[in-house]
Amino acid sequence: MAPYASDDSTTAGEVDEQRSGRRKAARYVVPVTVIGVAAATIGLVPALADSGDPDLPKITAQQLIEKIAESDVQQLSGTVKISTDLGLPNLGGLESGLLSGAAGQGEGGSSADPTAKLTELASGTHTLRVAADGPDRQKLSLLENAAEYSIIHNGKDVWGYDSKSNEVYHGTSSKSPEHGKDQQPPATPKDFAEEALKAVDDTTSVTVDGTAQVAGRDAYKLVVKPKQSGSTVGAISVAVDAKTGMPLKFTLTPASGGAAVIDVGFTKVDFAKPAASTFDFTPPKGAKVTEDKDAGKDSEKAPGTTFDKGGAREHAPKAGEDFGKGLDGMKTIGEGWNAIATFDTGGEGVPSGGAGGDLGGFMDSLGDKVHGEFGSGTVFSTRLVNALVTDDGKVYAGLVTKDALVKAADAGK
C-alpha cells in the first residue's frame, strides 16, 4: 500500500503538496538526539477513525494528519505542562552542568541565555506559560519555585530574563516578517507533533482512537505505533483540537512500559489575541544585561537568540533520510523504527575498568559492557535511545534495543 492511500480521493501527491513547506528543521528543547532519531524513524499509514464521541464526526487518520498540517493558529495564550523522563542516571549537579555546557554557555555566560536556560526542560516536570501574536511576537515563561524565566520575541528584539539572578540576555532577529510565519513558541505539543510526523512510509500504524477533552476543548486522538519489533518506542499519542487542528497534547510512551518519556500538553489555552503589553519588556533596574555578540547575524550562527527553528523543508524525508546529516561518515542501517545510525570516531572506544583509572570506573557505572562477534563495547541507555560504543571506536545508536545494536555491530564487523 502506498503511503497515505485511503478510502477518500486525496492522492499522495496532493498530500505531499499540501504539506510542502510546512516541515521545519527542529531546534527543540529536549535532547536533539531523541527527537532527531524519532524524526528519522517515524512513518504513517492511514486508518479509519472510530470516534467515540457523537458530538464529533468520524475522521480518517489521513484527514486528521492533513488537518494538523493545515493548522495555522497565529494567536494564543495558555499554560503548558511538560514532563521528560529519559531515565538518565542521577548525576546531580553534573547533569545540569553537562547540559549547560552542551548548550554553549561558557565561562562568563549569562544565566538568561535561552540556549542554556531551556535545556532544563530536558528532564523533570515543568510548567510553562506561552503566548503568541503572529510571526513577530511570542513569549514563553518557565515557572520555577519563587522565580521565573522568560524569553520574549517582539519584532526584532529577543529578550531572555532570569528573575532569580536578575540577569537579562538581549539578541535580535534578522529574519523577515514573511519568514517569521515559521516561528512558534518552542516546547509546545505542536512542536513535538510536527517533528514526529515528518517522515512518511509504511513502517507505522496510525489510527484515530476516539476523542478526548484537553484544556476544555474537544480533540481527536491520533495514535502512532511502530509495526516493527525491536523498537524502544511503544506509541505516540497526539490530541488534536477538533476545531483548529492544532495539537493540544503529545505523549510518547516506551515499549518497556511505565511513565511517558515525553508528555507535553496544554492545561489552559485561549485562541484570542493576547494583550500587546504581554510582549513588552524593559530590563529591570540593576539587572545585568548581556548583549548577544552575534546579534544581527544569521540565526544559524547564533542559536538560542530567536524563536526561529530553521527554514522550511522542501519535503518530508523518508524514514532514515537526512539522519545525522552533518556528521562526517555517518551511515544508516535498517529502516523505519529500526533505523540505526553508525559512524567511526577513529578513537579507542570508552575507557573501562582499571585501565581507564577513575574515569574508566565512572564510565563503567553509566554503561553496560557487551560482547559479540564485533568484539566488545559499552551500551549507554535511556528509556528511548540506546547507543553502543565499541572498544575500537565505532558508534551505533537508535530507538532500538541493546540486542539490535549488538546485531548491527556484528553485521558491520
Side-chain angles (χ1 to χ4, degrees), residues 5 11 38 56-57 69 87 104 116 164 171 201 213 226 240 270 285 309 325 352 389 410:
T11 67
L56 294 179
K164 186 175 182 179
D201 65 21
Q213 274 239 331
V240 183
D270 187 342
K285 185 177 180 179
K309 303 185 187 71
K325 185 176 181 181
S352 179
V389 182
D410 283 343

Side-chain angles (χ1 to χ4, degrees), residues 121-146:
L121 301 183
S123 63
T125 297
H126 305 274
T127 299
L128 310 173
R129 279 203 304 258
V130 298
D133 182 13
D136 289 332
R137 295 179 181 84
Q138 298 96 29
K139 181 177 181 179
L140 179 148
S141 296
L142 171 60
L143 309 182
E144 302 171 313
N145 292 332

Side-chain angles (χ1 to χ4, degrees), residues 292-371:
D292 173 25
K293 62 182 179 180
D294 293 317
K297 297 181 181 180
D298 189 325
S299 64
E300 289 294 327
K301 300 177 183 178
T305 60
T306 170
F307 279 94
D308 179 40
K309 303 185 187 71
R313 300 174 69 99
E314 291 184 0
H315 65 284
K318 299 296 181 182
E321 182 183 340
D322 281 343
F323 181 78
K325 185 176 181 181
L327 292 178
D328 294 339
M330 177 169 280
K331 298 185 297 183
T332 301
I333 301 171
E335 63 178 358
W337 297 88
N338 289 350
I340 296 173
T342 179
F343 60 94
D344 193 338
T345 66
E348 299 180 354
V350 178
S352 179
D358 292 340
L359 177 59
F362 175 69
M363 297 305 293
D364 282 346
S365 70
L366 298 181
D368 298 325
K369 293 296 292 185
V370 293
H371 305 274

